[in-house]
Amino acid sequence: MAFEHEQRQALRILEGIEQGSMNASESSNLLRDADETLVYFIFTWLRERYPSHHPAADAVLSRIGEICRQHPGVTGQIKAGESDAVVAWFQDAYQYRDLDAREFIALVVDKLES
């Protein structure tokens, strides 16, 4: 599979935030080097997968908020990534909630790297 390293790194970031296995600084260090569009996708997928009525929403959304508060540069990355044409392509063809983490990351990283 192409881009395996990039996919593993992206999945590590997503799961670290989702599962709480990394603190805000650890997440920020990895996010700092990530593609802005990938950062946008990761945060958007998490927000879509954990709406307010989801039992784990408070924890996941709290971690997202903590990252953004402690490391405002991440917010800038999210905003910059939102305007990428790949985002429009994805949103026209897919629903965030229809893809699990691995499927989502594989699809997005392959598209970003190709």
Side-chain angles (χ1 to χ4, degrees):
M1 176 181 278
F3 314 117
E4 288 178 9
H5 173 74
E6 291 85 356
Q7 288 179 8
R8 281 192 306 273
Q9 189 74 344
L11 191 59
R12 180 176 174 220
I13 295 167
L14 185 147
E15 289 178 341
I17 298 168
E18 182 181 33
Q19 299 167 3
S21 59
M22 289 190 287
N23 65 34
S25 292
E26 292 168 323
S27 297
S28 174
N29 286 338
L30 294 174
L31 289 164
R32 183 180 315 120
D33 296 328
D35 179 276
E36 293 170 335
T37 306
L38 178 62
V39 175
Y40 171 82
F41 274 129
I42 288 171
F43 278 73
T44 303
W45 185 89
L46 287 166
R47 287 182 181 127
E48 290 289 324
R49 295 288 291 206
Y50 293 94
S52 61
H53 62 276
H54 190 284
D58 287 345
V60 173
L61 298 177
S62 174
R63 287 190 285 275
I64 289 172
E66 184 177 346
I67 292 167
C68 292
R69 276 190 306 280
Q70 290 183 16
H71 305 280
V74 172
T75 303
Q77 285 179 283
I78 294 167
K79 289 182 183 187
E82 182 177 19
S83 62
D84 192 296
V86 174
V87 172
W89 161 81
F90 179 87
Q91 292 175 345
D92 284 345
Y94 299 93
Q95 296 291 319
Y96 290 95
R97 293 180 191 192
D98 292 342
L99 300 169
D100 71 23
R102 289 186 183 280
E103 294 171 322
F104 174 71
I105 290 298
L107 178 68
V108 168
V109 169
D110 278 346
K111 186 67 173 179
L112 289 172
E113 296 293 331
S114 60

